[in-house]
Amino acid sequence: MKEKITVIPKPVSVKYTEDVYQSEGLSVISGDKSFAGEIEIANNQLRCALEKFGFKGPLCEPGNIFCLKKGDDEASEAYSIVISKEKITIEAASSKGIYHGLQTLRQLVLSEFNNGVLVLPCAEIQDYPCFSWRGLMLDCSRYFYTVPFIKELIDTLSLHHINRFHWHLTDDQGWRLPVAEYPLLTEIGSLRKDSRMRWKPPQGGFYSEDEIRDVVDYAAKRHIETIPEVDLPGHASAILASYPELGCTGGPYQVEERFGIFEDVLCAGNDRILDLATKIFDALVKLFPSKWVHIGGDEVRYNRWEACPKCQKRLAELGLKKPGELQSWITSLLVKMLSERGRTAIGWDEILEDSDKFKLPKETIVMSWRGETGGVRASALGHQVIMTPNSCGCYLDYKHINTAEEPGQSYEPGASVYKAYSMQPVTPEMKSGSEQLILGGQGNLWAELIYAGKFAQYMIFPRICAIAEAVWTPKENKDFEDFSSRLKAHRSRLDTLGIYQYRGPLK
Ligand code: ACM
Ligand code: ZN
């Protein structure tokens, strides 16, 4: 008899009793009608899992798995599960909490259902997250991942109580978002001539409005909020290829086939870039209910602005001394546009720089990626922060270990599962008292080298499982050896779901 609840992330508390729950087949889950949506999804997820074990048809009746409402607090993510000899009871004060409880149950079924029999230790699980932001970013510009792939990923992320899907929709290598007033963004900007790969697809594509709504809704039903990112004013080759008049030199430009950082960015002296941003934000607000919109802001090169008469005129008019301040000016306008639309901006940590004259508005959330320093600085200035330091295993495009055989970007300090597990959103360098500004953390999958959905899974799993535990489980409960031993059971869950995963050394 297995004694341990091996789920990932590790629950806050598990108390075992001596008994064992055992059922032939699996009961249909029933419960409070306010949880009907979550229960229906979980019954379908379990039905799919059972089919993978070779069991067909409905789950067995009568039900002895129940979801009950205890209290009323839609903001709470807490849940409890009591496994007794006769039944399993999941309780929560919110639909989020119930969904998390159902995912913990799904994990248990995926690993403890053998030869048609589910055997679980009787136990009482109490659980809730440490951090409210537990995310994954997927770069759909460098590689155009399909909607079915994204939905499968979202479903699997929700198994780990991940609750944010950060959708990187635009970059130099492809524009994926329809904007009615700027149709060339998708007509031209979504396609690159890239002929390095012999096979098709994809060298391009974009998501239709219906597809975007479908993804957002699918994620929302799994209690994952989708946050769109439109990267401005850099990483703009796809925009410039579509509308060359928005660049400093006028082009010609092309949707980039190369990877890297490019000098051509939006012209800070051209008012039409603000009209573009307005129309983009209108499109985003229509499609994405999230109160957050990510505006990018990373890796903007200033060479063009330095040489451009229009940018220099703008600089002089605004009384600025250096081009970095022009970026702060643009950022402040973007933040304001979003705020007028009832949304809060998130940006990469570069948006903190050169902001003496145009201060980064206090409500702007900073995503710290160049190590942890952006997060330390931003929280000291009173900004909310999301930690995704490339130095702490959060960059899932990096090799798991630095060998010639391992795929991914080389990164000398490494990005092992251990490193990802050790990630701590609140770092010792942060000023005491600023902890409440740290919303949480996430993993980022940049896709320059990751040219297939299965390949993406290999890079994401199991590092995202480690990150999920780092942002859910109290620091005191974390233990890498214990995580590694639970990971053995967890790998079989991912296998049953058909998710590819890295299997090499964890450190
Ligand atoms: C980034 O990795 N350029 C945010
Ligand atoms: Zn210019």
Side-chain angles (χ1 to χ4, degrees):
M1 171 60 212
K2 299 224 176 61
E3 289 203 332
K4 288 193 72 177
I5 300 285
T6 56
V7 298
I8 291 177
K10 188 183 177 77
V12 170
S13 124
V14 182
K15 292 202 178 86
Y16 295 97
T17 56
E18 295 291 299
D19 290 326
V20 170
Y21 168 96
Q22 186 157 336
S23 78
E24 296 274 331
L26 187 67
S27 159
V28 171
I29 303 165
S30 57
D32 193 292
K33 65 178 180 314
S34 58
F35 299 143
E38 287 73 23
I39 291 172
E40 187 189 343
I41 289 176
N43 275 326
N44 283 332
Q45 287 169 331
L46 293 179
R47 203 168 285 128
C48 287
L50 254 54
E51 272 174 26
K52 297 196 176 181
F53 288 115
F55 287 82
K56 292 236 179 316
L59 311 187
C60 76
E61 303 277 2
N64 65 352
I65 305 181
F66 305 98
C67 288
L68 304 180
K69 192 154 175 120
K70 187 171 183 197
D72 196 358
D73 179 4
E74 266 312 306
S76 163
E77 295 197 78
Y79 70 91
S80 67
I81 304 182
V82 177
I83 306 169
S84 70
K85 268 174 84 162
E86 298 78 29
K87 61 181 180 181
I88 298 174
T89 312
I90 307 175
E91 287 187 334
S94 71
S95 40
K96 280 184 207 152
I98 277 294
Y99 189 78
H100 293 319
L102 286 165
Q103 295 313 301
T104 294
L105 177 69
R106 175 157 70 131
Q107 289 202 24
L108 292 172
V109 172
L110 283 168
S111 56
E112 314 306 333
F113 186 86
N114 293 302
N115 302 317
V117 182
L118 177 66
V119 182
L120 296 174
C122 288
E124 183 180 328
I125 300 171
Q126 297 287 344
D127 205 10
Y128 52 85
C130 255
F131 292 96
S132 64
W133 188 289
R134 307 178 301 275
L136 176 83
M137 186 218 75
L138 185 67
D139 167 12
C140 291
S141 171
R142 275 55 174 268
Y143 184 79
F144 182 70
Y145 295 100
T146 66
V147 168
F149 168 79
I150 293 173
K151 286 165 87 171
E152 182 191 40
L153 178 61
I154 284 172
D155 187 65
T156 313
L157 292 174
S158 83
L159 181 70
H160 303 79
H161 312 321
I162 295 283
N163 67 346
R164 305 281 182 251
F165 172 54
H166 167 177
W167 201 355
H168 186 78
L169 285 164
T170 75
D171 217 301
D172 296 290
Q173 293 81 4
W175 182 277
R176 313 296 179 208
L177 172 79
V179 179
E181 295 83 353
Y182 286 85
L184 301 184
L185 289 173
T186 42
E187 267 175 58
I188 293 173
S190 71
L191 295 166
R192 65 174 185 247
K193 295 192 190 74
D194 201 331
S195 55
R196 285 169 293 181
M197 301 292 179
R198 291 278 172 96
W199 36 262
K200 292 182 180 183
Q203 292 158 5
F206 63 92
Y207 304 104
S208 69
E209 291 192 349
D210 281 347
E211 285 173 325
I212 290 174
R213 284 197 193 93
D214 184 31
V215 168
V216 168
D217 177 62
Y218 183 90
K221 290 197 166 108
R222 285 155 183 76
H223 294 279
I224 293 186
E225 188 159 336
T226 304
I227 295 93
E229 180 185 350
V230 168
D231 206 341
L232 300 168
H235 288 290
S237 305
I239 304 177
L240 297 178
S242 314
Y243 295 95
E245 64 276 21
L246 300 180
C248 292
T249 65
Y253 305 107
Q254 62 167 0
V255 182
E256 268 301 342
E257 297 173 34
R258 299 164 298 170
F259 297 126
I261 303 173
F262 303 98
E263 293 187 347
D264 285 304
V265 301
L266 298 184
C267 174
N270 185 342
D271 284 341
R272 284 198 52 201
I273 69 164
L274 302 176
D275 180 65
L276 171 78
T278 307
K279 300 303 187 308
I280 292 170
F281 291 159
D282 285 342
L284 288 179
V285 164
K286 204 170 74 178
L287 292 170
F288 294 89
S290 172
K291 70 175 184 210
W292 300 292
V293 169
H294 201 304
I295 57 171
D298 57 321
E299 299 176 322
V300 183
R301 293 292 176 261
Y302 300 134
N303 315 40
R304 294 288 186 249
W305 292 357
E306 275 159 357
C308 169
K310 280 184 282 184
C311 286
Q312 288 303 312
K313 183 159 171 272
R314 175 86 76 200
L315 194 93
E317 279 167 6
L318 293 170
L320 304 176
K321 294 191 186 58
K322 48 182 177 171
E325 292 176 307
L326 270 180
Q327 183 177 350
S328 309
W329 171 70
I330 293 174
T331 303
S332 69
L333 294 178
L334 299 180
V335 171
K336 183 156 170 281
M337 282 176 200
L338 284 171
S339 148
E340 284 161 3
R341 287 163 180 75
R343 308 300 163 109
T344 301
I346 305 174
W348 298 111
D349 57 40
E350 285 91 333
I351 61 171
L352 279 171
E353 286 170 15
D354 296 322
S355 56
D356 287 349
K357 174 108 191 215
F358 288 100
K359 293 250 171 310
L360 185 64
K362 211 39 169 283
E363 75 268 23
T364 315
I365 300 174
V366 174
M367 197 169 259
S368 183
W369 74 276
R370 296 174 300 174
E372 296 171 318
T373 45
V376 174
R377 263 189 71 204
S379 57
L381 291 168
H383 294 279
Q384 290 187 323
V385 166
I386 299 156
M387 294 302 285
T388 179
N390 62 346
S391 53
C392 302
C394 292
Y395 265 46
L396 307 181
D397 55 324
Y398 293 173
K399 290 170 184 262
H400 286 86
I401 51 164
N402 286 325
T403 65
E405 291 72 32
E406 216 33 70
Q409 308 268 16
S410 292
Y411 177 69
E412 202 43 58
S416 63
V417 176
Y418 175 70
K419 221 164 176 157
Y421 189 80
S422 311
M423 191 283 250
Q424 288 186 45
V426 175
T427 75
E429 292 76 28
M430 284 172 183
K431 257 190 14 206
S432 94
S434 63
E435 300 84 4
Q436 81 281 0
L437 293 169
I438 313 305
L439 300 181
Q442 68 177 39
N444 295 335
L445 186 73
W446 299 104
E448 285 94 336
L449 305 183
I450 319 298
Y451 49 81
K454 283 289 162 199
F455 190 178
Q457 291 177 349
Y458 178 91
M459 302 307 283
I460 294 171
F461 296 96
R463 281 187 291 204
I464 199 67
C465 314
I467 293 173
E469 187 149 315
V471 291
W472 176 280
T473 304
K475 203 166 73 181
E476 315 74 76
N477 285 10
K478 277 174 66 187
D479 174 338
F480 188 68
E481 293 315 312
D482 180 56
F483 171 81
S484 309
S485 81
R486 278 177 286 122
L487 187 57
K488 293 193 183 93
H490 199 68
R491 286 191 184 286
S492 75
R493 296 177 189 128
L494 296 174
D495 286 342
T496 302
L497 292 174
I499 303 294
Y500 273 32
Q501 55 185 304
Y502 163 81
R503 292 185 185 274
L506 300 180
K507 288 190 188 188

